[in-house]
Amino acid sequence: MKISDINIRIVKDSRNKDTLEAVLRSGDFEASASVPAGKSKGKFETTTLEPSLVLSKFETIKNQILNKDFPTVWEFDGFLISTDGTKEKSNLGGNLILVLSIAFTKLLAKSENLQCFQLISKILGKTPRKFPYLYFNLIGGGLHAKDSLPFQEYILVTKFPSPAKGLEYAKNCFEKLQEDIEKNFGEVRLGDEGALTIKSDDPRVGLQVLNRNATGPEVSLALDVAASTFFENRIYNLRGKIKSSDDLLSYYNLLATSYPLLSIEDPFSEDDKDGFIKIVANLGEKIWIIADDLTVTNPDLINKAQKEKAATGVIIKPNQIGSVTETLEAIKLAQSYNWKVIISHRSGETMDSFIADLAYGVEADGLKSGAPTQEVRLAKYNRLIEIERNF
Ligand code: PGA
Ligand code: ZN
């Protein structure tokens, strides 16, 4: 496919920070994409450059892109990755490469008269038949919410075959939680991802409140602990309550017996691989142990973690690695290990719903897109519902 025009501009994300939007054209077809930004990031995520700097970098490659023919996403990404020439994408910026890569993928799908998810599943040789479980972050803490709980996300997982049913359940649950929190904790505030906050230092409180408002065979609970954010000098500092890696493991064992936990993400710091290995040995049969900061959507790190039995599943965030094809490689690899794959948004989001197509197209086990309270989060859940209704 030959691209006839490209424009990149700066737009605001959900935290009102600058980010990039790309619009690509080929003949009569047009596609756009925009990229999100994380706050609780893994150390080995690809480089994100200042959007204003990216605009000038882009000018240096624009004509080269317009003069070439790219038959597939592999050729397009390959061109950008080799032009960048660095492992961490620090020359052009992972955010520039990804925004172009997603827009290109959408444009190619249109030019082939396919939905984006159809192109993705075609690339992976799949026929998607099931929707992912929906991961709704309903109670937030950690870096995403001031004066709230120490763990980052207390998640309602809906397992209905229909995403429309899942979203409806989550919206009702959110309302119940809001009443519960107002009654028992006083004020109601929202964190970065639109999740409710609770003024408490006790990590269990989030699970208690969620658990008493979410029951039934079609729902489970999950945690994103984001433990790297409170790991200091090789100890876990939970609001002054010091825990060793082994203490934290015992604590998870206790939580696992008290609550219907389907998965725990980042239970230990990315610098505490032993913690991951121990929890897989202890709870890996019962609970999905999901790596995020540890693996950052990077096939090499996923491969390493699998060899060490440090996880049983992985979070996939395209902007951690910085291109569509590398994201697909990471997913393929994780699925080849029979790992669980959860596609995720970032805490600073845009209206782009590419990750919903990605989740359905690769038959992911979960899609994590925050609380059903912000437009940028709903855009992803609603895209799944659109797919459910129309295809
Ligand atoms: P982030 O957090 O988007 O702020 O990095 C999300 C997560 O840790 O999963
Ligand atoms: Zn995470």
Side-chain angles (χ1 to χ4, degrees), residues 28 67 109 150 189-190 276 292 341 354:
D28 292 341
N67 286 327
R189 288 175 302 122
L190 302 183
F276 273 93
D292 174 14
V341 167
F354 173 75

Side-chain angles (χ1 to χ4, degrees), residues 54-67:
V54 166
L55 292 188
S56 57
K57 300 244 177 194
F58 168 65
E59 284 308 317
T60 66
I61 57 162
K62 182 174 176 178
N63 282 334
Q64 292 178 62
I65 298 175
L66 291 175
N67 286 327

